[in-house]
Structures are given as C-alpha cells and as structure tokens.
C-alpha cells in the first residue's frame, strides 16, 4: 500500500473543486493508494515533462502525480479540470 503525499498546490486545487467531485476524487485516490493496478486503464505516463509524471483520469478532472516506488509514496502534484491542468505543468 502506498502513502499519499499532497503538495501545497494540489491541496489548494482540491479545495477549489465542487464538493461532489472532491468526494469522488478522494475515493479514487484511496483506491490508487491501495491498489494502483485497479485504476490501470485510467493512468497514463505524461510525455514532455521533466519528471516522471502520471495522470489519473477521473471524469473531466485529472490528477497529476509522481510515484516513488522505493519509498512507496505517491506524490500528488496537481488536480484540476482537463482543459486547464496541463498548462499548469509547463
């Protein structure tokens, strides 16, 4: 089981999202922490970024995260709507 670690921007992003979507996102993140293979079809590695970032698709929202396999930590970098989230990574 992985531990979830949120960066400050990710927490701010989550607070700006409507409550019903916040609940869904939190549920999916808990599933991701317990068993990343369960959400395998919704996870893709992002190309064109400096780090090894992945994105988790949750409806029209995206969670950008980074995995540290040795420490079993998933670092949540950003959370946002699909129209805006990728511009914040550049």
């Amino acid at each position: 089981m992985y531990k979830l670690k949120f960066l400050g921007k990710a927490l701010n992003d989550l607070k700006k999202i409507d409550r019903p979507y916040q609940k869904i996102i939190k549920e999916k993140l808990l599933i991701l922490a317990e068993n990343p293979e369960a959400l395998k079809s919704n996870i893709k590695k992002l190309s064109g970024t400096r780090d090894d970032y992945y994105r988790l698709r949750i409806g029209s929202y995206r969670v950008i995260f980074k995995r540290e396999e040795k420490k079993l930590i998933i670092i949540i970098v950003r959370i946002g709507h699909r129209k805006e989230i990728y511009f914040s990574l550049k």
Side-chain angles (χ1 to χ4, degrees):
M1 183 165 168
Y2 288 87
K3 287 185 177 182
L4 293 175
K5 181 179 177 183
F6 286 82
L7 296 182
K9 287 185 178 183
L11 283 175
N12 291 338
D13 293 341
L14 188 60
K15 290 176 185 176
K16 293 177 186 176
I17 297 172
D18 294 336
R19 291 240 187 247
Y21 290 113
Q22 280 185 17
K23 184 178 178 188
I24 294 168
I25 291 170
K26 289 176 186 177
E27 289 171 359
K28 294 289 184 177
L29 287 175
L30 289 176
I31 293 170
L32 179 67
E34 288 179 25
N35 183 11
E37 293 297 317
L39 299 172
K40 186 177 172 182
S41 62
N42 291 333
I43 296 175
K44 274 191 179 177
K45 185 173 182 181
L46 293 181
S47 62
T49 58
R50 294 170 291 207
D51 299 316
D52 290 334
Y53 287 154
Y54 295 85
R55 71 107 168 112
L56 171 62
R57 182 173 56 93
I58 305 171
S60 58
Y61 287 91
R62 303 294 185 261
V63 176
I64 309 298
F65 66 94
K66 186 177 177 181
R67 278 193 260 203
E68 291 190 9
E69 297 291 338
K70 294 178 183 176
K71 298 179 184 177
L72 292 177
I73 296 175
I74 294 177
I75 301 170
I76 310 300
V77 178
R78 296 299 303 257
I79 302 171
H81 195 272
R82 66 185 181 94
K83 290 181 180 179
E84 304 158 353
I85 192 66
Y86 300 111
F87 294 113
S88 66
L89 296 176
K90 293 182 179 180

